[in-house]
């Protein structure tokens, strides 16, 4: 008997994973790919499914003088393997 349920590979997650396999994805771009304003939720769900995704932040002061630290998502080497398996439908 299968101990885990197979994860549903929906279009939003597929688009996010495909983009991440091409390279880093900013939070804003992830929202556009989803399309949703809550891409961190989808990233969290992918992480919970076993895909290692890290978020690097680049801090700067914007034109109005406010500190901003936008995030950019990256797959780890293990995450790349897991993402490919997900896209093939091999993920549990």
């Amino acid at each position: 008997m299968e101990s885990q349920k197979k994860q549903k590979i929906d279009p939003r997650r597929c688009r996010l994973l495909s983009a991440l396999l091409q390279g880093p994805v900013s939070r804003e771009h992830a929202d556009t790919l989803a399309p949703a304003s809550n891409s961190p939720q989808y990233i969290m769900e992918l992480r919970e499914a076993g895909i290692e995704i890290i978020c690097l932040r680049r801090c700067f002061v914007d034109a109005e003088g406010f500190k901003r630290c936008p995030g950019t998502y990256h797959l780890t080497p293990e995450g790349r393997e897991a993402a490919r398996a997900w896209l093939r439908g091999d993920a549990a």
Side-chain angles (χ1 to χ4, degrees):
M1 185 154 78
E2 196 174 63
S3 62
Q4 290 182 341
K5 208 166 65 171
K6 231 181 161 83
Q7 295 288 328
K8 182 180 179 190
I9 304 174
D10 65 83
R12 288 180 177 184
R13 289 176 187 85
C14 285
R15 286 190 298 271
L16 284 170
L17 287 177
S18 294
L20 283 164
L21 284 168
Q22 298 301 310
V25 174
S26 70
R27 155 68 195 279
E28 292 81 9
H29 189 195
D31 283 350
T32 301
L33 289 166
S37 61
N38 63 339
S39 60
Q41 174 69 33
Y42 293 99
I43 295 295
M44 181 190 73
E45 291 170 2
L46 291 169
R47 287 174 174 153
E48 289 173 350
I51 299 172
E52 291 182 27
I53 302 170
I54 59 172
C55 181
L56 300 178
R57 294 192 174 276
R58 182 183 59 86
C59 294
F60 63 93
V61 176
D62 69 12
E64 287 79 30
F66 295 103
K67 183 178 179 182
R68 304 288 182 210
C69 297
T72 303
Y73 299 112
H74 302 257
L75 288 170
T76 66
E78 295 81 8
R80 294 180 75 73
E81 289 179 32
R84 287 186 186 109
W86 250 69
L87 291 172
R88 285 192 311 263
D90 296 344

